[in-house]
Each structure stands twice: as structure tokens, then as C-alpha cells.
Amino acid sequence: MVQIGYTMMTEQAGPRELVGHVVRAEEVGFDFSVTSDHYFPWLRAQGHSPYAWSVLGAAAQATSRIPLMTYVTCPTFRYHPAVVAQKAATVQLLSEGRFRLGLGSGENLNEHVVGGGWPSVDVRHEMLQEAVEIIRALFEGGHVNHRGTHFDVESARLWDVPDSPPPIGIAVSGERSCKLAGEHADLLIATEPKRGLLESFDRHGGSGKPRVGQLPVSYGPDRDTAIKRAHAQFRWFGSGWKVNSELPHPDSFEAATQFVTPDDVAESIPCGDDPDAFVAAVRPYAEAGFTEIALVQIGGETQPAFLDWSEKTLLPALREALGSS
């Protein structure tokens, strides 16, 4: 059974709006939710970037059923892993066990703000592995002392520890990250429907674990308007992770995507109000083996209409086509 999720995208809506959106997503029947964790939007047109962890705390109190998840948090630059462990444990308690901690090696866009430089991807993966080890140790509830290659922890302890610690997901984009996820994560996170990623995850110990995908969509009754909005706010999406993780500022993404056309965007993102087009975009994730697929509706102001349409049209169509829960 495939689960269909809703994305609170912090880059395109303010904190109160995000909480209202996930409350409505729970009401209309989405199976789970995920939340981005940014310091900057990708493009200026998106216009927002509130602190994701405050949003999660509010969402945990405003909802009662829908699972919550970071998609994803980088625990190595803006945040020390000991602090991430404390935040994650607290949200798990507030949500009464509905939280999963999604982690990744980060993007320069968000992490450059603390002035620590931006090392090579191999170093970032080393840092992520060490961070996961620290977080898991703190979830056990005892005092943790750590002297590592990248991090030190001095007699740290979480004083409010949930009975069941949050499952940890790791974002993947290639063989090295799949190995890291297979060996150290409880679930896989990816934004591309590549079967090879899941096969690599399985080879390294991920067999039988959940795998969560995500894709953008642009609902709207006028398809041309939906395409225009997707181009204005999401034309960066097709650049690939090797590019997206390196650029340091929204203006960098503006420059890097200046030749991307609306037609280019419409070829990769379903736009309009034809549910068959949305089902066709989701299907490759299900066929690749993803067990959960989170949708990102583009445009903060369009969320209420999208959620209403999802309840009446999209979720029933996806569940009929994919056998989702």
C-alpha cells in the first residue's frame, strides 16, 4: 500500500499559514506530512523561510493524527547534532509519537549563514554519519561524551526522552548516500523516482525499510496560470542535487535557471486540474518501490484550493490508481 503525504514547504508560506495548511491536510485525509527546514527560499519569488522547528511544535499541538517529519534537516552546520537530538525528542513528545527525523548532508543555500565554509560532499557525508551516531546515542537517554573527527559532545544528556525515539531517515542521491542510509537509517528519503537508489539502499541494509519520495505539483483550474506559477517558484527543481546543494543564495538559483522555460517546467511538473496527469507523475515513484510519496503543491496562497481539490478529486484518484491507503 502506498501512502500519500502533504508537504509543509517553509519556503513558500509563513508559520501560521503552514500550521493551518497541515491541519486541513489532516482533515482531508492525507496519510502523513513532511516539512522542509530552510534558512533561505530557493528563489525570491517563494518569499518565505520561517523556523521549521517552531512550526513543527505548533503543528504537533494543532493536529492529532497526521504524522510529522523533517524533509530534511541538516544536523551538521546550522545545528549541532546534540541540539538536533533535543529538538527531535521534544517534537516526538509533543506529537505523542508521530514524528520522524529526516536528515541530509545539507545545501550551501541554508548552511552558509554560520560562516563555516562548504566542504566537499565526501566530508559532508562523514559529518552526517557522525551526527547520526551522536543523535542515536542521545536518544538512549544517558550521558554522552564524544570526541570525533568533526564534532565534540561534552557530557550531554536529554532530560525529556520519548519512550520510542523518532525513526531517522536519511536523504539519498547516489551510491555513497545510499550506503550511509542503508547502514544508519530507519528509512530512505529521495526526490527522484530512481529504482537504482532503492536497490543500492537494499544492498547496504535497507531491505524492508520504508522509503519516502517527494514531487512537486501545481494544481490550478487554469493550466497556463499553474505553469506560470511553477516556473516562477520551482524552475530550480530540475537542476539536480549536485547543483542544488552547492549554490549559496537565491540569486545564484535565479542565474542558474535563467534559461529554463515554462515549457521545460511543464514537462516535469504536472500542472492544471487533470487528476490523470497527477496520477501519471506519481506512478513512477510507486513503480520504483517507494512506500510513501509526499506532494508539494507550488504556491503558498494556493494551498486551500489544492487541499479542497485533493479531498474531492486527487486523493480518490490516486488511491484508485495506486492502491494507496
Side-chain angles (χ1 to χ4, degrees), residues 42-43 192 234-245 247 252-258 260 268:
W42 298 97
L43 295 169
E192 296 177 283
F234 244 84
R235 63 184 182 272
W236 56 271
F237 186 75
S239 300
W241 214 248
K242 288 185 178 180
V243 174
N244 290 343
S245 64
L247 299 179
S252 306
F253 284 89
E254 296 280 356
T257 60
Q258 61 182 311
V260 177
S268 59

Side-chain angles (χ1 to χ4, degrees), residues 42-83:
W42 298 97
L43 295 169
R44 290 179 181 269
Q46 292 177 314
H48 293 275
S49 203
Y51 183 54
W53 290 88
S54 296
V55 173
L56 282 165
Q61 292 299 284
T63 58
S64 60
R65 174 194 62 81
I66 195 166
L68 305 168
M69 178 180 178
T70 49
Y71 205 100
V72 295
T73 287
C74 175
T76 53
F77 291 93
R78 279 182 297 151
Y79 311 136
H80 189 283
V83 177

Side-chain angles (χ1 to χ4, degrees), residues 25-278:
E26 179 177 71
E27 291 173 351
V28 308
F30 277 92
D31 298 311
F32 68 100
S33 69
V34 302
T35 309
S36 58
D37 185 355
H38 270 235
Y39 202 92
F40 276 83
W42 298 97
L43 295 169
R44 290 179 181 269
Q46 292 177 314
H48 293 275
S49 203
Y51 183 54
W53 290 88
S54 296
V55 173
L56 282 165
Q61 292 299 284
T63 58
S64 60
R65 174 194 62 81
I66 195 166
L68 305 168
M69 178 180 178
T70 49
Y71 205 100
V72 295
T73 287
C74 175
T76 53
F77 291 93
R78 279 182 297 151
Y79 311 136
H80 189 283
V83 177
V84 173
Q86 185 188 34
K87 294 191 291 190
T90 299
V91 174
Q92 180 75 324
L93 288 166
L94 286 170
S95 65
E96 298 181 297
R98 290 183 283 134
F99 180 65
R100 293 180 293 178
L101 176 62
L103 301 175
S105 57
E107 301 98 16
N108 196 7
L109 175 70
N110 302 303
E111 309 308 324
H112 77 270
V113 297
V114 295
W118 193 239
S120 70
V121 66
D122 288 346
V123 173
R124 300 200 306 266
H125 283 148
E126 288 177 5
M127 296 175 73
L128 178 58
Q129 178 176 333
E130 189 174 337
V132 171
E133 293 168 355
I134 292 167
I135 291 166
R136 286 202 185 278
L138 285 164
F139 281 168
E140 293 178 1
H143 282 87
V144 173
N145 289 283
H146 177 88
R147 295 288 182 272
T149 303
H150 302 287
F151 300 104
D152 292 336
V153 179
E154 186 72 39
S155 189
R157 176 189 171 187
L158 301 182
W159 287 85
D160 291 277
V161 182
D163 292 335
S164 297
I168 293 176
I170 291 179
V172 305
S173 59
E175 181 67 22
R176 174 70 184 272
S177 53
C178 286
K179 183 176 187 294
L180 180 62
E183 293 176 351
H184 295 278
D186 302 305
L187 57 138
L188 170 144
I189 294 166
T191 57
E192 296 177 283
K194 294 182 177 179
R195 186 184 299 273
L197 294 175
L198 307 189
E199 292 172 346
S200 178
F201 178 59
D202 289 344
R203 285 196 304 273
H204 294 293
S207 181
K209 297 177 182 179
R211 52 274 333 260
V212 187
Q214 185 187 55
L215 76 156
V217 300
S218 186
Y219 163 75
D222 182 86
R223 187 168 184 267
D224 289 341
T225 299
I227 292 172
K228 183 178 180 181
R229 182 175 64 250
H231 178 259
Q233 297 193 26
F234 244 84
R235 63 184 182 272
W236 56 271
F237 186 75
S239 300
W241 214 248
K242 288 185 178 180
V243 174
N244 290 343
S245 64
E246 300 295 336
L247 299 179
H249 193 275
D251 291 347
S252 306
F253 284 89
E254 296 280 356
T257 60
Q258 61 182 311
F259 299 116
V260 177
T261 69
D263 286 344
D264 294 332
V265 172
E267 288 180 3
S268 59
I269 296 175
C271 300
D273 63 355
D274 178 3
D276 290 341
F278 287 67

